Amino acid sequence: MALTALAPAKVNLFLHVGAPGGDGYHPLCSLMAFADFGDRLALQPADAMELKVTGPFGAALDGAGDNLVLRAAHALLAEARRPVAPFSLSLDKQLPVAAGLGGGSSDAGATLRLLREAAGLQIEDARLEAIAAGLGADGAACLWGRPVVAEGRGERLSPAPPFAPVDAVLVNPRVPVSTPEVYRRFDARGRFGEVTPPPAPDAFESAAELAAWLATLRNDLEPAAIDAAPEVGAVLETLAGEPETLLARVSGSGGTCFALCAGDIEAEGLAERIEALAPHWWVRRVRLGGPWE
């Protein structure tokens, strides 16, 4: 019998990025929320460990040998230090690749959770988070898929102020955006952000209140992402000009943008209009919050 897990899309509601340190890494501060939509991972017994990738964006992955799903599995098996019965993993890739949605990190997190459960591994949550963090900057946050404020390289997590699930629309121009290239352009600009967590209310009572607070913040990588892929700027401009949009912003290093809406009717109307205006874009109506399973 297969075990399955959602690997939800990650959205950076804000993302402040500081100057790189001596090790070349940029400190950051970000509020991350997770969509009720994403990739789907399944694990079941098999004669040998293997990974099957399907879905509309499966062909866009670099190759099974470097897939974060397999890297996560091997890292967990090394931590277990005992034999584990062979298994197969199936990844249904529903999220665009190189899209600023943390798809690879979320896939890795789902792998760690599923494999620990399936193999009955006695590995504590804190150690699982450390393994996830070692797989990428979004790894620790994407492991559990719940709203968090991430600091440092993304490994220092604290709970986000509570908010009810927010209706939103995700739009990607189907243009992959290279994170290293975005950071290269960001560094060249030299406009580094403050990475101290901004003052926030104890809780947000509505989507409008959350959007108003976020409007005082920013995504420091947004200009560099638009420089790297002007199509991202076209998506952002389109979303920002629609009446249902409370706030439009780029997520992560691009190229997906999101629009927060007051409710599901507004989000549905916005998604339908964007699909009609630009049928070649990837559009999904979602709720942001988490965890969803």
Side-chain angles (χ1 to χ4, degrees):
M1 180 178 177
L3 295 175
T4 66
L6 175 69
K10 173 247 8 171
V11 173
N12 298 92
L13 296 178
F14 77 81
L15 175 57
H16 297 173
V17 183
D23 56 5
Y25 286 95
H26 296 74
L28 60 84
C29 181
S30 181
L31 172 55
M32 300 181 186
F34 293 83
D36 59 351
F37 177 85
D39 299 336
R40 174 67 61 171
L41 199 76
L43 182 151
Q44 61 185 0
D47 293 333
M49 189 172 80
E50 61 177 347
L51 171 65
K52 299 176 182 177
V53 182
T54 61
F57 295 99
L61 295 179
D62 290 336
D66 190 42
N67 190 283
L68 274 170
V69 168
L70 287 179
R71 289 171 56 191
H74 286 304
L76 189 61
L77 292 175
E79 179 71 18
R81 299 180 182 176
R82 69 166 174 82
V84 171
F87 56 89
S88 70
L89 292 159
S90 298
L91 174 63
D92 180 11
K93 193 66 183 170
Q94 293 290 322
L95 295 175
V97 176
L101 296 175
S105 293
S106 198
D107 295 342
T111 302
L112 294 174
R113 300 194 311 272
L114 280 180
L115 184 52
R116 181 176 70 166
E117 178 183 354
L121 300 177
Q122 301 301 309
I123 296 176
E124 296 180 351
D125 286 355
R127 186 56 199 153
L128 208 64
E129 282 189 17
I131 295 171
L135 296 169
D138 293 335
C142 289
L143 176 62
W144 308 118
R146 56 183 175 237
V148 291
V149 175
E151 297 177 75
R153 297 183 187 177
E155 82 287 357
R156 298 203 324 263
L157 307 178
S158 56
F163 59 89
V166 178
D167 291 280
V169 177
L170 307 180
V171 183
N172 184 285
R174 295 185 185 270
V175 175
V177 178
S178 165
T179 297
E181 174 62 15
V182 169
Y183 270 98
R184 186 188 70 78
R185 292 172 182 261
F186 174 67
D187 288 343
R189 285 170 168 261
R191 300 171 187 171
F192 304 114
E194 170 58 55
V195 294
T196 301
D202 292 336
F204 295 100
E205 301 299 327
S206 67
E209 184 180 342
L210 175 62
W213 179 73
L214 290 171
T216 67
L217 308 172
R218 60 198 181 274
N219 177 352
D220 288 333
L221 297 182
E222 188 171 282
I226 293 170
D227 282 351
E231 297 90 343
V232 175
V235 170
L236 186 62
E237 183 178 359
T238 299
L239 286 175
E242 296 300 312
E244 297 90 348
T245 299
L246 298 175
L247 175 85
R249 181 163 287 163
V250 172
S251 178
S253 58
T256 303
C257 301
F258 65 89
L260 302 185
C261 301
D264 60 343
I265 295 175
E266 291 82 357
E268 183 175 1
L270 175 60
E272 290 177 351
R273 190 177 313 111
I274 297 299
E275 287 175 332
L277 286 171
H280 56 291
W281 289 352
W282 178 85
V283 181
R284 285 292 180 277
R285 181 171 70 87
V286 300
R287 291 183 301 155
L288 297 178
W292 300 105
E293 291 186 340

